Amino acid sequence: SPRSSSAPSACPAHIISQRRNVRWQAPAPPCILGAMTLALCIVGCGSYARSVLKDIHDMTEDVELFYASRDIEKAKGYLDTFGGSGCFGSYEEAAGDPRVEALYFLTPHDLHLENALLAARHRKHILVEKPIARTISEGRQMVQAARDAGVRLMVAENYRFLPTVEECKRLMEQGAIGDLRLIQVQSEAYAETSGWRTSAAITGGGRFIDGGIHSVDTLVRLGGLPERVYAAVPPRVLETGEGED
């Protein structure tokens, strides 16, 4: 699956992250077996990274934070604001630092493949924001690179861990609602895109691959992988983005 790739060995330690009051956990890298913390570098010190760090910056028992930006002043600013153990003025410097065990890329979609290949070359575990990549081909290359390097590749997809989704899954598995015949997800909002998200070349599409991917993952979590897929493009409403809205 292009969602994740695991090294052959595993360990019982866990990385625990609080995202929007949702408890997200995943198997920790084998290299920290018995350790209390994961040395994690936040790569890409933009506005979304700030939102994430507001939830996880105080998890010092679980994560030792580093920061990397192409602008060293941004990285220093994040270090001053959220605390941590160090900062870097380039992604390459962060990947090559022996103190860092994993890289969390909060970068535009078109950089995910490049980012993952960089981390894999340096044997660093990889966490990328959703979606994994712009295309299936890019996603598969990322998975293969992680497998070849023996590192973990994960996508920061949190919707499947929402309490409502977990409860739905539990009720379905118990047969409490009978046989599953239909899962319907309806999402309506008026939100114009801006910045790099308006570019189809950068995002790989429009609103569907950027935000709609949450609904896709929820459907897969509840109903499993589809056998057939049908789609229709709705009429355009917004003019700010190149992809579908």
Side-chain angles (χ1 to χ4, degrees), residues 171-188:
L171 292 173
M172 289 165 56
E173 290 176 343
Q174 290 181 347
I177 60 175
D179 295 332
L180 176 64
R181 299 181 64 86
L182 173 70
I183 302 174
Q184 181 171 324
V185 177
Q186 184 168 331
S187 176
E188 296 181 359

Side-chain angles (χ1 to χ4, degrees), residues 8-75:
S9 57
C11 68
H14 289 84
I15 308 164
I16 306 297
S17 177
Q18 294 281 348
R19 295 285 301 277
R20 298 183 182 88
N21 298 319
V22 177
R23 200 163 183 79
W24 171 63
Q25 66 180 25
C31 61
I32 62 167
L33 179 60
M36 292 299 293
T37 60
L38 173 71
L40 177 69
C41 183
I42 303 296
V43 182
C45 297
S47 59
Y48 186 65
R50 185 174 296 276
S51 298
V52 172
L53 285 163
K54 287 179 180 178
D55 290 332
I56 70 171
H57 74 278
D58 59 347
M59 298 174 57
T60 54
E61 292 185 358
D62 302 302
V63 180
E64 179 186 5
L65 289 172
F66 295 81
Y67 308 92
S69 172
R70 293 191 175 100
D71 181 347
I72 187 61
E73 294 304 319
K74 278 189 176 181

Side-chain angles (χ1 to χ4, degrees), residues 137-176:
S137 174
E138 288 182 352
R140 286 175 173 165
Q141 290 180 67
M142 293 168 66
V143 170
Q144 191 60 53
R147 286 175 174 162
D148 291 344
V151 298
R152 294 182 181 273
L153 167 64
M154 294 183 63
V155 177
E157 174 56 70
N158 63 326
Y159 269 44
R160 62 172 50 208
F161 301 109
L162 291 171
T164 49
V165 176
E166 289 190 323
E167 180 64 9
C168 284
K169 183 67 173 177
R170 185 185 69 82
L171 292 173
M172 289 165 56
E173 290 176 343
Q174 290 181 347

Side-chain angles (χ1 to χ4, degrees), residues 100-222:
V100 174
E101 295 171 300
L103 300 172
Y104 181 5
F105 293 100
L106 296 104
T107 55
H109 308 169
D110 63 325
L111 298 180
H112 288 188
L113 174 58
E114 174 187 326
N115 296 157
L117 294 178
L118 171 66
R121 285 198 302 272
H122 290 272
R123 300 294 193 272
K124 305 296 185 182
H125 301 285
I126 308 158
L127 178 63
V128 296
E129 271 299 321
K130 55 76 190 166
I132 184 172
R134 296 175 298 175
T135 65
I136 293 175
S137 174
E138 288 182 352
R140 286 175 173 165
Q141 290 180 67
M142 293 168 66
V143 170
Q144 191 60 53
R147 286 175 174 162
D148 291 344
V151 298
R152 294 182 181 273
L153 167 64
M154 294 183 63
V155 177
E157 174 56 70
N158 63 326
Y159 269 44
R160 62 172 50 208
F161 301 109
L162 291 171
T164 49
V165 176
E166 289 190 323
E167 180 64 9
C168 284
K169 183 67 173 177
R170 185 185 69 82
L171 292 173
M172 289 165 56
E173 290 176 343
Q174 290 181 347
I177 60 175
D179 295 332
L180 176 64
R181 299 181 64 86
L182 173 70
I183 302 174
Q184 181 171 324
V185 177
Q186 184 168 331
S187 176
E188 296 181 359
Y190 185 89
E192 297 199 27
T193 55
S194 61
W196 61 263
R197 296 182 188 277
T198 64
S199 170
I202 293 177
T203 62
R207 300 294 291 177
F208 184 71
I209 195 172
D210 192 14
I213 198 73
H214 286 307
S215 297
V216 173
D217 188 71
T218 300
L219 289 171
V220 170
R221 171 63 175 157
L222 295 177

